[in-house]
Amino acid sequence: MPSHRIIAIDGPAASGKSSVALALAQRLGFSHVNSGAMYRAVTWHVLQRSVDVHQPAAVVAAVEQSKIVCELVDSQSRILINDQDPTSHLRDDNVNRAVSIVSSIPRVRQILVPRMRECAKADNVVMEGRDIGSVVFPETPFKFYIDASPEVRVQRRRAEGQRDEIAARDRADSSRAASPLVVAPDAEVIDTSTLTIEGVVNEIMRRLKQKGLPI
Ligand code: CDP
Ligand code: CDP
């Protein structure tokens, strides 16, 4: 059991996880860990090496041969792969298309999950993803599943000017065998369809107080 506090924020694509997790972390003075960025970074790396993402053994070999460093810098998670910082490529179209395939490979998850747990040894964290409350930190009492209607989520992504087939990604993430996107039985569910980012953060703060977080 880590000695620091962990707030888990899970949910489907464009439900507002990153915006909400960052704002919440800033309010609380916690670090913000984006686990999706880790899966995206690894995906970018294997695509760079022209690995066929439909060949799990080849993906695993490429990942196992790489030096992956996850750290907290200025209260934000950052990942370096073979000393390269992939941050500016994490939303590339080819990464959007391939990330759910790469993240469905159990060995890839087995390599990345311990890196996520390491981050929570260094600070109190708000960590966002798909399986943070269900698999990465099932013991935390502070877990949230944020959602919004498919129409609202598609609209949010479109407004960002991104080509991102979020319905296909959600289907893949929810139906895979390894750590699928699920609502943890003890997660607080919040429908954010009609809420602003600040509105969602206020609602989470209210529920955290109810759960006894001293804030
Ligand atoms: O921001 P968005 O919701 O579009 O995606 P993301 O959080 O950056 O995650 C990208 C992809 O990484 C997801 O579609 C999942 O396939 C994978 N992922 C995962 O498998 N487990 C996590 N804890 C986080 C992300
Ligand atoms: O991390 P995730 O993919 O779940 O969502 P995000 O990247 O935080 O949010 C996707 C887009 O929706 C961003 O442009 C946010 O500003 C916007 N958003 C919103 O308009 N209202 C919310 N309640 C949450 C996010």
Side-chain angles (χ1 to χ4, degrees):
M1 178 85 178
S3 54
H4 288 103
R5 295 188 194 280
I6 294 143
I7 299 174
I9 311 263
D10 291 303
S15 54
K17 297 179 300 298
S18 292
S19 321
V20 167
L22 175 61
L24 181 66
Q26 286 173 342
R27 266 254 212 133
L28 292 168
F30 286 20
S31 288
H32 168 219
V33 180
N34 183 342
S35 69
M38 298 183 192
Y39 290 99
R40 287 177 178 276
V42 163
T43 302
W44 172 78
H45 176 69
V46 299
L47 290 171
Q48 280 288 101
R49 301 180 77 172
S50 304
V51 172
D52 178 355
V53 294
H54 295 283
Q55 302 288 332
V59 172
V60 167
V63 175
E64 285 181 338
Q65 284 159 18
S66 311
K67 185 175 84 169
I68 302 175
V69 175
C70 302
E71 54 192 9
L72 294 180
V73 179
D74 295 334
S75 303
Q76 288 281 323
S77 57
R78 186 181 68 161
I79 182 164
L80 297 177
I81 306 197
N82 291 345
D83 300 318
Q84 277 189 294
D85 182 350
T87 304
S88 62
H89 297 286
L90 299 184
R91 297 267 160 192
D92 288 357
D93 289 348
N94 60 347
V95 174
N96 281 340
R97 279 195 302 272
V99 64
S100 288
I101 302 165
V102 172
S103 69
S104 71
I105 301 171
R107 176 71 184 134
V108 170
R109 308 192 73 81
Q110 201 185 26
I111 291 169
L112 290 183
V113 166
R115 312 298 169 101
M116 294 166 202
R117 294 190 177 132
E118 278 294 313
C119 287
K121 286 193 183 146
D123 196 7
N124 293 322
V125 296
V126 179
M127 191 174 299
E128 52 155 312
R130 298 293 187 291
D131 61 340
I132 307 306
S134 55
V135 173
V136 184
F137 290 109
E139 70 282 7
T140 183
F142 309 118
K143 49 180 89 164
F144 296 86
Y145 185 97
I146 64 172
D147 207 347
S149 71
E151 297 75 23
V152 167
R153 292 187 292 106
V154 165
Q155 192 46 45
R156 285 178 183 169
R157 266 290 179 270
R158 211 172 278 154
E160 292 177 311
Q162 277 199 55
R163 248 188 297 157
D164 186 4
E165 297 296 328
I166 64 175
R169 203 143 56 75
D170 287 341
R171 251 194 321 275
D173 293 343
S174 301
S175 62
R176 69 183 175 218
S179 306
L181 170 66
V182 289
V183 183
D186 52 345
E188 298 268 333
V189 179
I190 301 176
D191 183 344
T192 73
S193 301
T194 60
L195 294 176
T196 61
I197 292 161
E198 203 193 352
V200 183
V201 173
N202 289 341
E203 181 57 22
I204 292 179
M205 290 288 284
R206 193 181 67 75
R207 296 192 196 197
L208 285 172
K209 266 188 210 158
Q210 274 180 350
K211 285 174 166 286
L213 188 73
I215 42 180

